[in-house]
Amino acid sequence: MDTESVDWALKTTRAVRRRLDLGRPVDDQIILDCIDVAEQAPTGGNQSSRRWIVVRDPEIKQELARLYQEAGGLFFTEARDQLEGTGHPREPMMRSAAHLVEHLAEVPVIVIPVIVGRHDGSGAPGLFDSVIQSAWSFCVALRARGLGSTWTTAVLAKAPELKELLGIPDGVTEIAMLPVAWTKGTDFRPAPRSPAREITFFDGYGRICESGPGTALRMADGPGMVVEVDIAAHPDVVWAAITDINLPAQFSDEFNGADWDEGFDGPALGATFTGRNHLEALGHWEVTSFVDVLEPNGAFGWCTSDPDNPGARWRFEIQPLVGGGTRLLFRLFLGPGPSGLTMFIEQNPDKEHGMIVNRLQHHRVNMQRVVDGIRDHLQ
């Protein structure tokens, strides 16, 4: 199998809106070929329950466009108008989404995958888990043939009207609406995404590893932990909170006191601050920390003890959320330099994995307390 071609099709199957060619006809057979490909996707109990509605009738497409606009399209057009010319990170996406709202009725074909059955909230398999993968296979098959689409679901808020328009029985569930057309050019590229190492957890939620297998933890592999929380506050506000080191320190059992170097009034690469612990159970200690990551409104991080060979590396990351708010991540990597933990590991090398697991679990509780505390402070 040509894995390079398969991977490229998967990586470049984009949400296509502005580059849909509204004037070029799409033959029925190419739609049917893509559905044949999609139907090879796994389905619960190997039961054929997926159905595909292909819409070409101009009047029906016009009604679908009206329902789509009423269900959520107005939000996209208003957001497009508000963000136009501001340079906001979501300006291109809103411009693209609004374009589809205004031109949906002109798309050559609209495909609506459905499945026999209604979701009852029981968690039993056989409904959405039997159709989502098939519908996405359809999108990838389009991409491989030079056509494009975008996954839209806003119209599902108008389910009764959609059922009446298309004659969909009550016992059938609508999954998505996929506008289909040839694309203007095929030079699509992979989108920016988090590397697998940052979002893949080994043997437990939040447990990460910079290298190595991840399941047999060693200090040399950079084991770590990440926690996260969504905050109903603007990214600028969250950024100000995480870079004011005394605020996160308020919620930390280990760093319940922190100060920038005397006379320093803000974060900068290479700047230092001192973290202090006052808990009797952990003993009294101080550690010098060095700012090694500074991406305004993106990431703020520091390492401990020695910037060239740190005992640990800590990092806050902020991500704006669709519809407002901010996702705050707090990330830790142990090592690679010496620390109290490495001293114990050197004395008991056969227990290295267990010691690391215990230390990460201790940090996880404390790190979660920090991000939860920041959230509660800002909301």
Side-chain angles (χ1 to χ4, degrees):
M1 183 178 294
D2 182 1
T3 56
E4 184 175 349
S5 296
V6 174
D7 288 353
W8 189 248
L10 290 167
K11 289 179 178 179
T12 59
T13 300
R14 303 263 65 80
V16 186
R17 303 179 186 96
R18 300 180 71 189
R19 291 179 60 180
L20 294 175
D21 191 337
L22 305 179
R24 183 178 176 185
V26 176
D27 187 82
D28 280 341
Q29 190 56 53
I30 201 166
I31 300 294
L32 294 172
D33 289 345
C34 290
I35 292 174
D36 275 333
V37 171
E39 276 298 305
Q40 291 300 314
T43 179
N46 203 29
Q47 185 170 323
S48 178
S49 297
R50 297 178 289 242
R51 305 292 183 262
W52 305 79
I53 303 173
V54 178
V55 178
R56 290 185 176 277
D57 186 293
E59 293 184 3
I60 298 178
K61 287 193 293 181
Q62 191 66 50
E63 279 299 296
L64 286 174
R66 181 184 65 80
L67 292 176
Y68 185 55
Q69 184 171 32
E70 290 180 358
L74 186 60
F75 165 80
F76 295 127
T77 54
E78 289 179 347
R80 184 264 321 269
D81 295 342
Q82 292 173 0
L83 296 177
E84 194 68 35
T86 65
H88 190 279
R90 298 209 170 273
E91 182 182 349
M93 188 192 76
M94 291 304 177
R95 186 185 305 122
S96 175
H99 177 84
L100 180 64
V101 172
E102 295 170 342
H103 296 278
L104 180 62
E106 303 168 47
V107 174
V109 182
I110 297 176
V111 176
I112 300 176
V114 301
I115 190 166
V116 178
R118 298 298 297 174
H119 196 279
D120 60 3
S122 67
L127 194 62
F128 291 116
D129 55 329
S130 292
V131 65
I132 297 294
Q133 64 273 42
S134 181
W136 186 245
S137 291
F138 174 77
C139 294
V140 178
L142 291 173
R143 165 75 181 107
R145 290 162 173 76
L147 293 90
S149 182
T150 185
W151 190 284
T152 70
T153 57
V155 74
L156 303 183
K158 295 282 186 177
E161 294 93 331
L162 187 62
K163 286 182 176 297
E164 182 177 357
L165 177 65
L166 299 175
I168 301 172
D170 288 339
V172 174
T173 301
E174 309 79 20
I175 301 301
M177 181 174 69
L178 308 173
V180 177
W182 293 97
T183 60
K184 298 175 181 178
T186 57
D187 55 332
F188 296 99
R189 300 184 300 274
R193 294 290 188 263
S194 299
R197 281 283 180 185
E198 293 186 2
I199 58 173
T200 302
F201 307 144
F202 296 95
D203 293 329
Y205 195 92
R207 190 189 297 174
I208 53 180
C209 196
E210 283 187 304
S211 61
T215 52
L217 298 181
R218 299 290 180 266
M219 289 295 291
D221 295 330
M225 179 62 66
V226 61
V227 300
E228 54 193 319
V229 69
D230 289 351
I231 302 175
H234 192 276
D236 290 346
V237 176
V238 179
W239 176 256
I242 63 174
T243 53
D244 176 9
I245 57 171
N246 285 289
L247 178 63
Q250 291 178 20
F251 311 109
S252 171
D253 283 344
E254 293 180 89
F255 288 88
N256 59 1
D259 294 297
W260 290 109
D261 281 349
E262 185 176 351
F264 188 72
D265 59 0
L269 284 175
T272 64
F273 64 90
T274 301
R276 301 176 181 85
N277 165 65
H278 302 297
L279 292 181
E280 292 292 341
L282 296 176
H284 298 294
W285 50 260
E286 294 185 353
V287 62
T288 301
S289 299
F290 304 81
V291 176
D292 61 351
V293 177
L294 188 64
E295 303 168 9
N297 288 326
F300 169 58
W302 64 94
C303 59
T304 63
S305 303
D306 182 349
D308 296 321
N309 193 30
R313 290 153 291 155
W314 304 79
R315 185 166 77 239
F316 284 116
E317 301 167 12
I318 60 176
Q319 302 170 354
L321 297 175
V322 176
T326 306
R327 177 161 296 155
L328 173 62
L329 296 92
F330 193 13
R331 196 180 300 271
L332 159 71
F333 289 106
L334 299 177
S339 64
L341 178 61
T342 56
M343 179 182 66
F344 289 115
I345 291 174
E346 289 171 358
Q347 296 172 354
N348 301 275
D350 57 321
K351 298 180 180 179
E352 182 173 9
H353 174 80
M355 289 182 179
I356 293 173
V357 169
N358 289 338
R359 179 60 60 90
L360 289 177
Q361 184 56 34
H362 169 80
H363 282 310
R364 176 181 183 174
V365 173
N366 197 38
M367 292 165 68
Q368 191 68 53
R369 184 180 293 117
V370 170
V371 296
D372 289 347
I374 294 173
R375 176 200 59 202
D376 296 343
H377 176 80
L378 296 178
Q379 292 186 165

